[in-house]
Amino acid sequence: MTEPPAEALLFDVPPPPTPVERLLHLADQYTQHNDALDLLLRTTAPSGPDTHAASALRLAADTQSAIKAIQGERLYESVELAETVMRLQQLAFLATASGDLRAGTARGLTALAPEAAVSCAVTLAAETRRRRWASAPVAEQRLTAVQSDALAEIARGHVVAGSSLDREFTRSREPKVLMSTLRALEAKGLVERTTNSAHAAYVGGPPQDRVRLTAAGITSLASVIELPPARPSAAPGTTPRPLPATAQATARSR
């Protein structure tokens, strides 16, 4: 069998993830870690302090890698950028510290990590667009505002799915992610469900399905995150401007 030339293989290599995409993926990793701890805490089998240590240390290393990727962009220093790096350093510290603790205590240290990682991604995306607008990713045109909001909630680890009496349902925070929105995103290949990976909705109930972004979903969210909402533009002259108070008084006196 003849192998393709080395030059041809170069075109098959996908581009490396952007720092914003890395942060969204990091948020998903923290969500999976927290879900695993939740399921562990609900089992009757005893667990030692090192049950989750390897996962925690990987998270710390991946967080440090995300920091290096941000620094590699060589963006001009700003308060927002400095605080983003500082928050990620705190996440790395908390992840490392959680590896030495038992599951119950460790779970509290990383509980807010997915939201923090997404918040850092939002800030970084805004800073990147403000400084490098010409090279910013092209906004995903296939997404509605509701779908974009749903992707952000999924990235934060706020959305699970399940079924009861042969009916599917979703559980999320505000803004609510409806099952119809979830199915539309699944049809686009932007999200997926990991079966029985999230804790039950009630004591003694079955595990729920964690809703997660796919690689395509991460790319799509990174292209729209922290963009100003689209507003319909009115044609010039279609909406009359209100008259100043003095002009209104003059008009009434005529």
Side-chain angles (χ1 to χ4, degrees):
M1 179 177 179
T2 304
E3 295 185 1
E7 293 80 2
L9 295 177
L10 294 177
F11 296 97
D12 296 329
V13 178
T18 66
V20 173
E21 291 171 347
R22 290 177 71 110
L23 290 178
L24 294 176
H25 177 64
L26 184 67
D28 176 62
Q29 290 176 285
Y30 274 108
T31 297
Q32 292 182 72
H33 176 79
N34 290 343
D35 282 343
L37 283 176
D38 286 336
L39 295 179
L40 179 65
L41 290 170
R42 284 163 174 75
T43 63
T44 56
S47 60
D50 59 343
T51 304
H52 58 282
S55 174
L57 292 178
R58 282 195 302 271
L59 282 173
D62 289 340
T63 305
Q64 292 290 358
S65 296
I67 293 174
K68 291 180 180 178
I70 294 172
Q71 294 171 335
E73 291 292 290
R74 299 187 180 277
L75 297 174
Y76 289 108
E77 285 294 334
S78 68
V79 173
E80 293 79 8
L81 190 61
E83 290 179 348
T84 295
V85 171
M86 189 180 303
R87 177 175 287 190
L88 290 172
Q89 290 172 336
Q90 292 171 344
L91 288 185
F93 175 82
L94 291 174
T96 302
S98 71
D100 296 326
L101 304 173
R102 291 192 174 274
T105 307
R107 178 64 174 84
L109 292 187
T110 57
L112 302 180
E115 291 185 61
V118 173
S119 177
C120 289
V122 169
T123 302
L124 181 60
E127 286 292 291
T128 302
R129 288 191 177 94
R130 184 166 66 88
R131 300 160 189 269
R132 300 178 178 176
W133 184 263
S135 61
V138 178
E140 172 60 69
Q141 299 297 327
R142 299 181 301 161
L143 299 177
T144 65
V146 170
Q147 291 172 343
S148 297
D149 289 343
L151 288 181
E153 287 302 293
I154 292 168
R156 294 184 177 98
H158 291 173
V159 185
V160 295
S163 61
S164 178
L165 302 177
D166 296 327
R167 294 188 62 181
E168 292 187 312
F169 61 84
T170 59
R171 293 185 185 275
S172 61
R173 303 182 187 181
E174 294 291 343
K176 293 292 185 182
V177 177
L178 302 179
M179 178 56 69
S180 57
T181 303
L182 174 58
R183 288 172 177 158
L185 292 173
E186 286 178 324
K188 295 176 183 289
L190 302 180
V191 303
E192 62 187 4
R193 308 182 209 183
T194 303
T195 306
N196 298 333
S197 62
H199 65 83
Y202 54 89
V203 177
Q208 301 179 98
D209 302 340
R210 171 63 60 193
V211 182
R212 301 169 52 206
L213 299 182
T214 63
I218 287 176
T219 300
S220 292
L221 179 57
S223 74
V224 298
I225 198 169
E226 196 52 22
L227 279 177
R231 296 179 180 178
S233 57
T238 56
T239 303
R241 292 184 177 182
L243 291 173
T246 55
Q248 292 179 16
T250 303
R252 286 195 297 267
S253 64
R254 291 179 179 175

